[in-house]
Amino acid sequence: MAAAPPSYCFVAFPPRAKDGLVVFGKNSARPRDEVQEVVYFSAADHQPESKVECTYISIDQVPRTHAIMISRPAWLWGAEMGANEHGVCIANEAINTREPAAEIEALLGMDLVRLGLERGETAKEALDVIVSLLEEHGQGGNYYEDANSCHSFQSAYLIVDRDEAWVLETVGKYWAAEKVTEGVRCICNQLSLTTKMDAEHPELRSYAQSQGWWTGEGEFNFSEVFSPVEDHLDCGAGKDSLEKQEESITVQTMMNTLRDKASGVCIDSESFLTTASGVSVLPQNRSFPCIHYFTGTPDPSRSIFKPFIFVDDVKLVPKTQSPCFGDDDPAKKEPRFQEKPDRRHELYKAHEWARAVIESDQEQGRKLRSTMLELEKQGLEAMEEILTSSEPLDPAEVGDLFYDCVDTEIKFFK
């Protein structure tokens, strides 16, 4: 398999983002045939000394986990992106560094996304969760459902809440982080931190010196020290695509950016595809709810972003959940991935028809796509009303919001 193409995540803060909203977006570039599911997990209390089984290893569970909504490759435990009930959003990027990533099975970067969401009430708390688990368990293991070779990576994270974002970049158990509270920030599959670091592993610099990567003199530049010597990835065009927006950035701007194939933000290549996308809107005014949009289907330029709001009584959406194979899942048995089961969920199957029509029939495809965007627009307008209403949100009205949107989409494809 070729090296992974750039996968992007973005955040925009007011005043660049409109109306006092923080806007977050992520495209997940993964192997073309991989299915992503969108799954809600309610908040839960756990027994003392209980364990949680992550993708490859089990770790100690905490007394309580927050409610989360995640988009994840259907074969693993963690998440590519997601949000929790406290308005924390996290996405990760696989990165290569001077230090090769461990192939030994440990926590995946995607496991740490989910663990951060389950355990952190703020972006900074989620960061602290991730780095402490990294210290304790390390990161490693295959990022792809591939029996033939192990694709292991280091990880970078964009961790966002209503007030601030943290860019966290890791090399093994070592890490550095930068706090962001204004403007636009993008991360992709390469190190981006330079000399501004607001938090770091206590032994980061001494480790770099011990490896001969830094002399200990002059300014410490994280990317220069830890980037691979031959780093051919270019994330520039993608980063510019949002930063160069002249108008205020809205949820629609973010969706348009994620759909942009010309800049390379939306991937559609021989081996890789943007297999799922997510956008979140986090009002800095806490009297308004955070709204999270997920596609649950590949290629955002041919998908519908569907809204979700955390309330106490969320209606589960089995139609975006892949079949469960339990202990018989080839991802759970060793040696792993000896076969690939059909992980397509109901929405994915219905959407395959739409993708085929758009690709094969120009006229019908154009009509289909405009109808899809019209469906999406109705959802965006309804959410706009919630964010501008003086009335408090009625939880009963939005508990089945995502369920209804998925149901409507499937009926429309049929």
Side-chain angles (χ1 to χ4, degrees):
M1 185 177 284
S7 188
Y8 288 90
C9 42
F10 302 91
V11 65
F13 283 91
R16 284 301 311 280
K18 207 174 165 191
D19 302 332
L21 304 173
V22 178
V23 186
F24 167 87
K26 155 84 174 167
N27 266 356
S28 176
R30 302 278 303 170
R32 277 197 84 85
D33 60 350
E34 185 177 78
V35 177
Q36 273 200 43
E37 57 179 352
V38 179
V39 197
Y40 171 80
F41 294 94
S42 55
D45 294 309
H46 305 281
Q47 293 296 324
E49 297 187 19
S50 60
K51 297 277 186 185
V52 54
E53 198 177 304
C54 303
T55 303
Y56 297 128
I57 64 168
S58 292
I59 65 170
D60 291 338
Q61 185 54 285
V62 289
R64 184 168 176 81
T65 48
H66 309 312
I68 61 170
M69 183 74 156
I70 57 174
S71 183
R72 66 175 181 188
W75 62 270
L76 54 76
W77 179 84
E80 272 281 286
M81 55 198 145
N84 73 17
E85 61 185 305
H86 301 291
V88 178
C89 299
I90 310 180
N92 93 312
E93 301 288 353
I95 50 175
N96 290 311
T97 67
R98 251 178 151 160
E99 173 144 318
E103 293 190 6
I104 295 165
E105 292 185 348
L107 289 173
L108 284 176
M110 292 167 280
D111 292 338
L112 288 160
V113 170
R114 177 168 172 181
L115 290 161
L117 291 171
E118 287 187 339
R119 301 177 181 197
E121 274 191 40
T122 64
K124 180 62 170 66
E125 254 183 47
L127 177 130
D128 292 340
V129 165
I130 291 171
V131 299
S132 67
L133 290 168
L134 203 52
E135 182 77 28
E136 190 178 349
H137 302 286
Q139 57 182 325
N142 203 344
Y143 260 61
Y144 299 141
E145 192 181 12
D146 184 353
N148 298 319
S149 59
C150 182
H151 309 264
S152 59
F153 298 96
Q154 311 285 12
S155 301
Y157 304 84
L158 187 58
I159 310 169
V160 181
D161 64 23
R162 294 176 191 253
D163 302 311
E164 63 189 33
W166 286 85
V167 175
L168 168 64
E169 298 183 345
T170 67
V171 181
K173 69 172 186 175
Y174 301 98
W175 57 273
E178 180 187 349
K179 181 175 164 180
V180 182
T181 54
E182 59 185 21
V184 173
R185 189 59 185 263
C186 161
I187 70 167
C188 84
N189 305 73
Q190 59 189 172
L191 296 174
S192 67
L193 300 180
T194 55
T195 55
K196 182 184 181 291
M197 292 176 284
D198 297 299
E200 64 184 78
H201 189 285
E203 292 156 22
L204 177 71
R205 297 176 193 225
S206 56
Y207 177 69
Q209 271 187 277
S210 74
Q211 298 298 305
W213 297 335
W214 185 52
T215 60
E217 292 171 15
E219 211 166 25
F220 183 82
N221 182 315
F222 184 81
S223 291
E224 280 181 13
V225 171
F226 288 106
S227 288
V229 180
E230 306 211 346
D231 190 359
H232 300 308
L233 257 181
D234 180 25
C235 300
K239 287 182 174 176
D240 291 346
S241 62
L242 193 67
E243 284 172 12
K244 288 188 172 164
Q245 293 288 339
E246 304 210 347
E247 296 85 40
S248 298
I249 291 163
T250 63
V251 63
Q252 187 67 66
T253 324
M254 187 65 81
M255 289 174 183
N256 294 346
T257 300
L258 296 181
R259 287 177 164 138
D260 185 7
K261 289 186 175 172
S263 68
V265 171
C266 182
I267 297 290
D268 189 351
S269 70
E270 197 179 325
S271 309
F272 291 95
L273 185 63
T274 298
T275 52
S277 306
V279 171
S280 290
V281 180
L282 316 174
Q284 292 192 314
N285 178 345
R286 281 172 163 68
S287 56
F288 293 108
C290 297
I291 302 174
H292 311 282
Y293 298 84
F294 295 93
T295 58
T297 54
D299 190 348
S301 71
R302 297 166 181 179
S303 289
I304 300 174
F305 283 90
K306 297 162 281 291
F308 171 85
I309 296 174
F310 284 94
V311 288
D312 286 342
D313 198 12
V314 167
K315 187 171 184 179
L316 299 178
V317 187
K319 290 174 182 174
T320 60
Q321 274 183 260
S322 294
C324 179
F325 300 98
D327 291 336
D328 289 332
D329 194 314
K332 290 188 176 167
K333 294 194 292 194
E334 294 192 49
R336 298 197 197 276
F337 314 128
Q338 295 305 296
E339 51 190 304
K340 270 194 184 178
D342 183 355
R343 300 189 188 274
R344 294 174 304 160
H345 47 73
E346 203 172 322
L347 175 64
Y348 188 99
K349 287 177 180 174
H351 182 259
E352 280 182 314
W353 169 83
R355 276 167 68 201
V357 169
I358 292 169
E359 277 167 28
S360 64
D361 184 326
Q362 274 191 317
E363 181 58 25
Q364 197 190 351
R366 208 164 41 78
K367 282 183 183 165
L368 177 60
R369 197 163 171 275
S370 73
T371 316
M372 287 166 75
L373 289 173
E374 185 54 41
L375 271 179
E376 182 180 275
K377 186 170 166 233
Q378 290 168 17
L380 285 167
E381 285 169 355
M383 294 307 101
E384 183 72 22
E385 279 179 37
I386 287 173
L387 291 177
T388 50
S389 169
S390 53
E391 299 294 310
L393 180 73
D394 178 1
E397 282 189 10
V398 296
D400 51 6
L401 176 65
F402 191 73
Y403 180 97
D404 287 347
C405 290
V406 169
D407 215 42
T408 305
E409 184 176 346
I410 289 172
K411 284 178 181 153
F412 162 67
F413 289 148
K414 285 180 176 172

